[in-house]
Amino acid sequence: MNWRIHHKKLTASTNLDAMSGSPGDVFTADFQFAGRGRLEHKWHSSEGENLMMSAVLSVKGIPAERAATIPLAVGLAVAEAFPAVDPMIKWPNDILANGRKLAGILCERHGENVIAGIGVNVNETSFPSEIALKATSLAILLSSRQSIDAVRDSILEKLASVYGEWRFGGLDALADRLSKRDFLKGKTISVIQTDDDSSPVEGLCGGIASDGSLLLDGAKIWAGEAHIAKF
Ligand code: BTN
């Protein structure tokens, strides 16, 4: 894939910028004043310290249930882009290293495309108090500042190959690699389902299924936020 990079110093959200793009366009920014996270959360990032990027991927001709699994493929590409810190994927798409959040992904469907929004903590070393114990960055993990452009390029290289495999073979083609990085698999977890009003459910996590759901005591969870209940 020949990516075309469009960089701005300041924007509301690179995911919003990407809505005007075509497959292969990549939108980046030094600062977002309305950065979006999953579940209506905001995504905060200090100016010029981190990667904020949105890549436009085509899902034309792919059935909706299959297209819905693309966030996991994007998560795998991000995780595999940093072998030095061996990241894990916490379903649906938090990227953790050393048990803390290194990157977040927000995929949004836009017509025949998916906007893959990726935020990576690159050089941030102090986080707001509410996430201070849960977040990390490449600079913290590797004990030195990193080039944001090099991080961008590593992710885009991986994304091109993982997207190609996913397009051809779906999540099945990535199952072994996903399973190796599945943070929740085999742990007792609690899940707040976001497509359902019921109270949190707890159980043994069987890992990520090839349809993109999370297996909890054999049942499928389609959307939600998971936490480790017991180690
Ligand atoms: C999350 O963990 O909640 C997902 C965070 C995704 C943040 C990225 S930063 C680049 C892109 N633009 C946005 O507004 N959000 C995503």
Side-chain angles (χ1 to χ4, degrees), residues 28-82:
T28 57
D30 292 335
F31 186 71
Q32 299 183 127
F33 55 83
R36 292 142 71 126
R38 282 186 63 243
L39 308 175
E40 313 296 317
H41 294 155
K42 291 191 164 62
W43 181 259
H44 295 285
S45 184
S46 304
E47 183 173 357
E49 294 291 60
N50 301 308
L51 178 68
M52 286 156 266
M53 156 166 104
S54 301
V56 185
L57 301 169
S58 170
V59 289
K60 190 173 176 183
I62 298 181
E65 326 77 72
R66 212 174 121 180
T69 67
I70 201 169
L72 287 159
V74 175
L76 182 66
V78 174
E80 289 187 342
F82 309 119

Side-chain angles (χ1 to χ4, degrees), residues 50-121:
N50 301 308
L51 178 68
M52 286 156 266
M53 156 166 104
S54 301
V56 185
L57 301 169
S58 170
V59 289
K60 190 173 176 183
I62 298 181
E65 326 77 72
R66 212 174 121 180
T69 67
I70 201 169
L72 287 159
V74 175
L76 182 66
V78 174
E80 289 187 342
F82 309 119
V85 300
D86 203 18
M88 299 292 280
I89 299 166
K90 178 171 163 280
W91 180 93
N93 43 26
D94 281 351
I95 306 302
L96 309 184
N98 215 4
R100 294 179 176 219
K101 185 155 168 169
L102 173 65
I105 293 161
L106 175 67
C107 287
E108 299 184 277
R109 179 87 193 230
H110 186 65
E112 293 179 328
N113 299 328
V114 163
I115 312 297
I118 301 167
V120 183
N121 298 327

